[in-house]
């Protein structure tokens, strides 16, 4: 079975040529600019997922910095960005509600642990399970996921991005962005246009330096300028943090490190910890396959699993939100031209610095600008080629089984990534075994007919 890194696309070849020929100075500037751009998105998404998890915006933001730093520094995917993600935050939300409702009034049920410390223990157990998965080389299991499931996963992620951002932008089923809706929509689509047009425009004007300015960063700067000078009525990024220095960070560690750990609490927490670890394992390695397809490189999957485990254990010390390798952030890093491992490390550094020092600057960024950027990310992630080839009936199109697998995975991914991957991987293998047996029966029947014809001819002779 062919996998993500087997076939090199034109983009992969161009990227490899860039890495081979680039000089240190321009590469340093470009990678730092990409890291700075992604850090704003990581910070914003971290805050959103922190709120979703029930642990608060600050927990999500500090987790975005810590996970990005650790996973990039010691992980098995060379160029990536990790952090809190929607599946992990959603599970944490349920656990937070359960912990507060069940154990908030009776701490002795947890052996003296507070609900917050119990949630931190679950994060710690999640990290421990993932480290064991890596040690026992379970990362190799991802190779058994069919390419069409990977394509479906990519397309499903695109649908999640488009549906989620569209719902927020137009206020369909979700609370819309604050301020004037029309102005927010204008900023979103202006940002989208800026991301699309930055590279071709710069290639015409300053082709030598076009790679140094990521489209997402250009879009953010332009939208900040537009909204500031026109005094537009739109919603801006907000940082609700109580950390104003390193002394406060030290106090945070002291307050959040799990204490009074009991065997009863461990027994109650191992199930949720394993569930989080499984989601992080699948999500991380699926995204790693996407990254491998885009870069032509190969993730060291067990190393990546261990790194994510270390990162998730680390956020347990700050009351954080566990995470995975993040599809939106990783894809955007690659699309904007990051080529160094240090780019991912610097995302984490920038996130932590921004939390401490640049609240006023971050507060000038309109949230709708991120919506436009994420629309473009969805376009880049969506695996449109196989779908279009099937619709137009090209010779090299997917088989019916592969197409059903791709579309089914995409649609179910919107609701549940784990179910999508497991269900349609099983479906693909089942259908292929059935078809091979069917072909075997047909082949046997044809042989029997041929043998019968030969027998009749021999009798006539």
């Amino acid at each position: 079975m062919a996998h993500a890194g087997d076939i090199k696309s034109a983009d992969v070849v161009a990227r490899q040529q860039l890495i081979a020929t680039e000089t240190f100075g321009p590469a340093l500037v470009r990678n730092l600019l990409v890291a700075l751009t992604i850090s704003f998105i990581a910070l914003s998404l971290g805050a959103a997922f922190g709120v979703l998890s029930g642990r608060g915006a600050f927990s999500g933001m500090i987790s975005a910095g810590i996970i990005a730093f650790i996973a990039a520094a010691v992980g098995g995917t060379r160029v990536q960005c990790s952090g809190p993600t929607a599946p992990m935050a959603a599970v944490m939300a349920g656990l937070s509600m359960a912990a507060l409702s069940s154990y908030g009034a009776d701490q002795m049920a947890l052996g003296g642990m507070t609900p917050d410390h119990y949630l931190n223990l679950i994060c710690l157990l999640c990290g421990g399970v993932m480290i064991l998965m890596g040690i026992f080389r379970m990362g190799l299991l991802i190779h058994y996921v069919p390419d069409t499931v990977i394509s479906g996963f990519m397309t499903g992620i695109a649908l999640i991005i488009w549906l989620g951002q569209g719902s927020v932008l137009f206020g369909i089923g979700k609370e819309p962005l604050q301020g004037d809706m029309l102005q927010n929509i204008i900023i979103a689509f202006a940002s989208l246009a800026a991301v699309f047009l930055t590279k071709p425009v710069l290639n015409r004007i300053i082709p030598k330096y076009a790679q140094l300015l990521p489209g997402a960063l250009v879009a953010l700067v332009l939208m900040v300028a537009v909204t500031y000078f026109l005094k537009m009525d739109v919603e801006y990024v907000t940082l609700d943090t109580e950390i104003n220095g390193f002394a406060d960070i030290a106090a945070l560690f002291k307050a959040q490190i799990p204490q009074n750990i009991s065997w009863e609490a461990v027994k109650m927490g191992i199930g949720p910890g394993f569930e989080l670890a499984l989601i992080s394992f699948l999500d991380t390695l699926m995204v790693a396959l996407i990254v491998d397809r885009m870069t032509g490189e190969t993730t060291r999957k067990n190393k990546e699993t261990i790194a994510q485990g270390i990162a998730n254990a680390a956020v347990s010390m700050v009351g954080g939100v566990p995470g995975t390798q993040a599809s939106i952030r990783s894809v955007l890093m690659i699309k904007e031209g990051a080529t160094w491992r240090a780019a991912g490390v610097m995302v984490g550094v920038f996130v932590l610095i921004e939390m401490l020092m640049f609240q006023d600057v971050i507060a000038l960024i309109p949230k709708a600008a991120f919506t436009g950027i994420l629309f473009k990310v969805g376009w880049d992630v969506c695996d449109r080629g196989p779908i279009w080839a099937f619709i137009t009936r090209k010779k090299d199109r997917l088989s019916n089984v592969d197409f059903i697998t791709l579309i089914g995975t995409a649609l179910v991914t919107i609701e549940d990534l784990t179910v999508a991957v497991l269900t349609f991987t099983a479906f693909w293998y089942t259908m292929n075994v059935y078809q091979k047996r069917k072909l075997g029966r047909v082949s046997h029947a044809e042989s029997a007919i041929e043998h019968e014809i030969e027998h009749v001819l021999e009798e006539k002779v």
Side-chain angles (χ1 to χ4, degrees):
M1 185 192 335
H3 282 280
D6 295 340
I7 301 173
K8 293 184 179 180
S9 67
D11 288 342
V12 170
V13 173
R15 177 183 173 83
Q16 292 176 341
Q17 289 175 345
L18 173 65
I19 294 173
T21 59
E22 67 183 350
T23 56
F24 178 80
L28 174 63
V29 172
R30 186 182 65 254
N31 279 275
L32 285 176
L33 286 174
V34 172
L36 180 62
T37 301
I38 304 304
S39 70
F40 289 118
I41 296 176
L43 195 68
S44 179
L45 292 175
F49 293 139
V51 171
L52 174 62
S53 72
R55 309 214 76 185
F58 174 75
S59 293
M61 289 186 292
I62 195 169
S63 299
I66 291 172
I67 295 173
F69 181 90
I70 293 175
V74 299
T77 305
R78 197 174 63 84
V79 180
Q80 59 142 302
C81 184
S82 298
T85 56
M88 299 291 278
V91 173
M92 280 300 297
L95 294 174
S96 297
M97 291 179 62
L100 289 173
S101 62
S102 301
Y103 312 124
D106 182 13
Q107 292 185 14
M108 293 313 297
L110 295 170
M113 294 188 76
T114 66
D116 269 346
H117 284 172
Y118 172 63
L119 294 172
N120 293 341
L121 174 63
I122 291 174
C123 293
L124 185 63
L125 292 170
C126 165
V129 170
M130 293 195 73
I131 291 171
L132 291 175
M133 286 178 169
I135 291 173
F136 287 102
R137 306 184 66 79
M138 293 181 66
L140 297 176
L141 295 176
I142 202 68
H143 285 292
Y144 294 97
V145 180
D147 278 352
T148 47
V149 172
I150 298 170
S151 295
F153 173 70
M154 294 168 67
T155 304
I157 292 297
L159 293 174
I160 291 172
I161 295 170
W162 291 333
L163 292 172
Q165 296 303 308
S167 296
V168 171
L169 188 61
F170 296 102
I172 302 173
K174 291 186 178 181
E175 189 72 24
L177 294 173
Q178 296 177 8
D180 184 78
M181 179 179 289
L182 180 59
Q183 292 186 34
N184 277 309
I185 291 172
I186 290 172
I187 291 299
F189 283 97
S191 177
L192 176 62
V195 177
F196 266 109
L197 295 175
T198 293
K199 189 162 290 185
V201 169
L202 292 181
N203 279 333
R204 285 179 173 272
I205 301 173
I206 47 173
K208 187 175 180 180
Y209 301 101
Q211 291 285 345
L212 299 180
L213 290 172
L217 180 59
V218 171
L220 289 178
V221 172
L222 288 176
M223 295 310 105
V224 166
V226 168
T227 54
Y228 179 79
F229 287 110
L230 296 182
K231 308 296 183 183
M232 297 182 72
D233 180 21
V234 296
E235 183 175 352
Y236 295 90
V237 174
T238 56
L239 292 181
D240 182 18
T241 173
E242 299 178 358
I243 297 295
N244 297 308
F246 290 102
D248 291 335
I249 293 178
L252 175 69
F253 274 94
K254 185 176 180 179
Q256 292 294 336
I257 291 176
Q259 299 174 12
N260 299 321
I261 298 177
S262 65
W263 177 239
E264 290 76 13
V266 172
K267 286 192 295 184
M268 288 188 292
I270 192 64
F274 180 81
E275 181 183 1
L276 285 170
L278 180 61
I279 294 172
S280 184
F281 173 80
L282 288 173
D283 206 352
T284 290
L285 296 188
M286 289 295 290
V287 174
L289 288 173
I290 295 171
V291 171
D292 289 351
R293 175 175 291 182
M294 296 176 68
T295 63
E297 300 177 359
T298 301
T299 290
R300 297 175 64 183
K301 296 173 181 60
N302 295 307
K303 183 179 180 182
E304 180 64 22
T305 302
I306 292 173
Q308 295 291 338
I310 294 172
N312 287 333
V315 300
S316 71
M317 306 300 169
V318 295
V321 182
T324 72
Q325 192 173 144
S327 57
I328 296 172
R329 283 152 273 180
S330 295
V331 168
L332 188 56
M333 283 190 70
I334 295 163
K335 285 293 183 179
E336 294 299 345
T339 54
W340 290 359
R341 177 183 289 273
V345 175
M346 289 308 300
V347 170
V349 173
F350 283 139
V351 166
L352 297 174
I353 291 175
E354 288 155 9
M355 286 177 56
L356 296 174
M357 300 181 64
F358 301 127
Q359 289 96 331
D360 293 339
V361 176
I362 295 170
L364 295 175
I365 302 174
K367 284 188 175 181
F370 289 118
T371 297
I373 291 170
L374 294 175
F375 278 146
K376 174 60 163 59
V377 172
W379 177 261
D380 292 332
V381 169
C382 183
D383 199 3
R384 306 178 302 277
I387 298 173
W388 183 246
F390 187 86
I391 293 172
T392 56
R393 312 299 292 175
K394 291 184 178 179
K395 288 184 178 179
D396 57 347
R397 65 182 181 274
L398 296 175
S399 67
N400 291 337
V401 169
D402 283 341
F403 185 74
I404 292 172
T405 301
L406 191 159
I407 297 300
T409 303
L411 294 177
V412 178
T413 293
I414 297 174
E415 294 297 328
D416 192 313
L417 165 66
T418 305
V419 171
V421 172
L422 295 178
T423 299
F424 284 95
T425 296
F427 170 79
W428 188 87
Y429 278 109
T430 300
M431 293 305 297
N432 275 271
V433 169
Y434 169 75
Q435 288 181 339
K436 286 180 180 179
R437 288 182 176 178
K438 185 177 179 181
L439 288 174
R441 288 195 298 268
V442 171
S443 177
H444 179 72
E446 289 175 347
S447 297
I449 292 172
E450 290 175 358
H451 179 72
E452 185 64 26
I453 292 172
E454 290 177 359
H455 179 68
V456 170
L457 289 176
E458 287 176 358
E459 286 185 344
K460 288 187 176 181
V461 172

